[in-house]
Amino acid sequence: MHYVSINVKSMMQYKTSFLLTSIGQFLVSFNVFLGIFFMFQRFSNVKGFTYSEVLLCFSIMLLEFSIAEMVVRGFDSFSGIVRNGEFDRILVRPQGEILQVLGSKFELTRLGRMLQAVIMFIYGIAYCDVTWSFTKILTIIFMLIGGTALFSGLFI
């Protein structure tokens, strides 16, 4: 948590940059949302799936990807850490290597993308004809955990 707090403090030094980057992340994924929206304006359903069902599925995938990208993006800079000789310094510290590499880069700006995923998820739930039960809620929770673990594994 100390590594994450240092990254967050450094990002908050430039609040305007953080805000604009978060808005940019929101708008990038908004383009995909517009593609889905316009496709369903032309076709009422695709292979039996309605707009709200596709939106619900897309929002879950986007949320999983955003969480994984926010937390595990430290491994993007791993080759640079090794190339610059900084990995030797990581090896002599008392914390685990994976934890240090994960904490080296925490992408809080992905909150913009996560915000859009949450908004689409709420919309999908509101307009989807799903009868919610405890098992379906539990399934969504496990989908979020499993999808985040899958994307994290791909990043690592």
Side-chain angles (χ1 to χ4, degrees), residues 62-77:
L62 184 63
L63 190 59
E64 294 165 348
F65 181 76
S66 299
I67 292 170
E69 191 176 32
M70 181 170 53
V71 175
V72 188
R73 273 309 213 195
F75 278 92
D76 280 350
S77 60

Side-chain angles (χ1 to χ4, degrees), residues 80-100:
I81 290 172
V82 172
R83 192 175 323 117
N84 294 338
E86 295 173 20
F87 191 62
D88 294 337
R89 188 173 32 176
I90 289 175
L91 287 172
V92 297
R93 291 182 182 157
Q95 296 294 330
E97 294 84 15
I98 293 176
L99 181 67
Q100 291 183 61

Side-chain angles (χ1 to χ4, degrees), residues 18-125:
F18 170 76
L19 182 66
L20 290 176
T21 306
S22 296
I23 291 171
Q25 288 293 322
F26 182 87
L27 292 176
V28 165
S29 58
F30 189 71
N31 288 333
V32 178
F33 166 73
L34 284 178
I36 294 171
F37 177 76
F38 289 131
M39 180 178 67
F40 277 95
Q41 289 296 316
R42 175 84 171 128
F43 309 105
S44 62
N45 62 32
V46 176
K47 292 252 184 177
F49 292 102
T50 64
Y51 174 66
S52 58
E53 292 170 341
V54 170
L55 206 57
L56 186 64
C57 181
F58 175 68
S59 66
I60 290 171
M61 292 293 290
L62 184 63
L63 190 59
E64 294 165 348
F65 181 76
S66 299
I67 292 170
E69 191 176 32
M70 181 170 53
V71 175
V72 188
R73 273 309 213 195
F75 278 92
D76 280 350
S77 60
F78 183 68
S79 61
I81 290 172
V82 172
R83 192 175 323 117
N84 294 338
E86 295 173 20
F87 191 62
D88 294 337
R89 188 173 32 176
I90 289 175
L91 287 172
V92 297
R93 291 182 182 157
Q95 296 294 330
E97 294 84 15
I98 293 176
L99 181 67
Q100 291 183 61
V101 173
L102 283 176
S104 67
K105 189 174 184 183
F106 188 76
E107 292 286 338
L108 196 61
T109 57
R110 301 305 188 239
L111 287 175
R113 190 178 290 177
M114 288 176 63
L115 176 67
Q116 183 183 6
V118 169
I119 291 170
M120 287 189 305
F121 184 74
I122 292 170
Y123 179 86
I125 285 176

Side-chain angles (χ1 to χ4, degrees), residues 122-140:
I122 292 170
Y123 179 86
I125 285 176
Y127 292 101
C128 194
D129 294 331
V130 176
T131 307
W132 292 99
S133 65
F134 176 73
T135 56
K136 289 182 182 178
I137 293 171
L138 197 61
T139 301
I140 289 196

